[in-house]
Amino acid sequence: GAGVSQTPSNKVTEKGKYVELRCDPISGHTALYWYRQSLGQGPEFLIYFQGTGAADDSGLPNDRFFAVRPEGSVSTLKIQRTERGDSAVYLCASSSGLAGGEQYFGPGTRLTVT
Amino acid sequence: AQTVTQSQPEMSVQEAETVTLSCTYDTSESDYYLFWYKQPPSRQMILVIRQEAYKQQNATENRFSVNFQKAAKSFSLKISDSQLGDAAMYFCAYRSAGSNDYKLSFGAGTTVTVRA
């Protein structure tokens, strides 16, 4: 596609459940980022992939959060044992991976944990 | 991590007038990038303008311009001839120019309302 896509657009789940959020980056982009945006706040960095490997996962809040990018394209953010505090918009972005390359964002997935 | 501060939660501007959004940041680095992003209700983050710290000239993109004061660590956005479509949340963001540090650090955002 022409831009970054994310599915689902919205996800409602019960506390304690497991969820997966998917990101399809722009074709050819080697770098992929996940951010979390709580209501009324700016996005906060979670994890950054360069190719298949996580180059920086310092933003993941705890071990319930995990992300993969097995073939260097699509990425999945996985959240185990969801908590109400996980409710937020999860944004994905991709870039060429070159220094100075612009990050292009997807429309995000709004996660609501009830 | 770098801190980005936007001290104006909300700004209102009359259509065709000018509004200026403030942003300050804290860093010990000498080379970095600064950005302004627009986020309408659709949630899609759109890059408005970017500034490279080593460039003294302020960036301009059509009706959008910045005032970059490196010594003061200030990076304000001016929207001229405001249009109804400019209504959105605006985020200031910082990124290191280091080779392995591409993550963006965002401010809390400023909601811009445009009055017809």
Side-chain angles (χ1 to χ4, degrees):
Chain A
V4 178
S5 62
Q6 292 185 245
T7 54
S9 178
N10 294 281
K11 175 72 176 178
V12 180
T13 191
E14 293 179 349
K15 179 177 177 296
K17 298 290 188 183
Y18 168 84
V19 296
E20 290 189 350
L21 311 180
R22 175 188 169 105
C23 173
D24 278 271
I26 292 172
S27 178
H29 278 187
T30 60
L32 185 146
Y33 312 79
W34 284 98
Y35 295 87
R36 179 168 71 173
Q37 185 175 19
S38 300
L39 188 63
Q41 298 297 315
E44 294 179 312
F45 169 77
L46 294 176
I47 187 170
Y48 152 55
F49 287 90
Q50 183 63 265
T52 60
D56 183 353
D57 64 358
S58 62
L60 295 177
N62 52 59
D63 60 6
R64 296 186 298 105
F65 288 75
F66 189 70
V68 296
R69 196 185 185 199
E71 298 179 357
S73 178
V74 171
S75 176
T76 305
L77 178 66
K78 307 180 181 193
I79 310 174
Q80 299 177 321
R81 305 182 304 280
T82 52
E83 299 177 357
R84 292 194 180 87
D86 299 334
S87 296
V89 173
Y90 290 81
L91 295 168
C92 176
S94 70
S95 75
S96 64
L98 300 175
E102 177 185 343
Q103 292 186 25
Y104 295 84
F105 283 81
T109 293
R110 181 180 299 280
L111 175 66
T112 302
V113 182
T114 62
Chain B
Q2 282 70 23
T3 302
V4 178
T5 302
Q6 293 180 249
S7 59
Q8 306 154 314
E10 297 180 1
M11 293 289 282
S12 181
V13 61
Q14 188 73 34
E15 196 175 6
E17 297 294 311
T18 296
V19 64
T20 299
L21 310 184
S22 301
C23 173
T24 59
Y25 56 94
D26 184 25
T27 185
S28 59
E29 299 175 327
S30 59
D31 198 14
Y32 47 87
Y33 299 92
L34 295 166
F35 306 85
W36 279 99
Y37 280 89
K38 172 185 178 181
Q39 187 179 42
S42 66
R43 302 197 303 246
Q44 187 89 42
M45 295 282 274
I46 302 164
L47 179 64
V48 174
I49 198 165
R50 62 181 276 166
Q51 175 79 41
E52 292 152 4
Y54 67 86
K55 291 186 177 179
Q56 292 185 341
Q57 186 173 5
N58 289 322
T60 299
E61 288 288 342
N62 300 314
R63 298 182 294 106
F64 299 88
S65 61
V66 299
N67 183 3
F68 172 48
Q69 301 289 328
K70 190 172 184 179
K73 296 179 183 175
S74 171
F75 182 61
S76 62
L77 174 70
K78 184 170 78 171
I79 307 174
S80 303
D81 185 25
S82 296
Q83 300 176 0
L84 295 177
D86 295 334
M89 195 137 181
Y90 286 80
F91 292 96
C92 178
Y94 173 103
R95 197 187 85 197
S96 171
S99 61
N100 290 316
D101 189 5
Y102 294 162
K103 61 181 178 284
L104 292 166
S105 298
F106 287 88
T110 297
T111 299
V112 172
T113 303
V114 181
R115 305 186 304 273

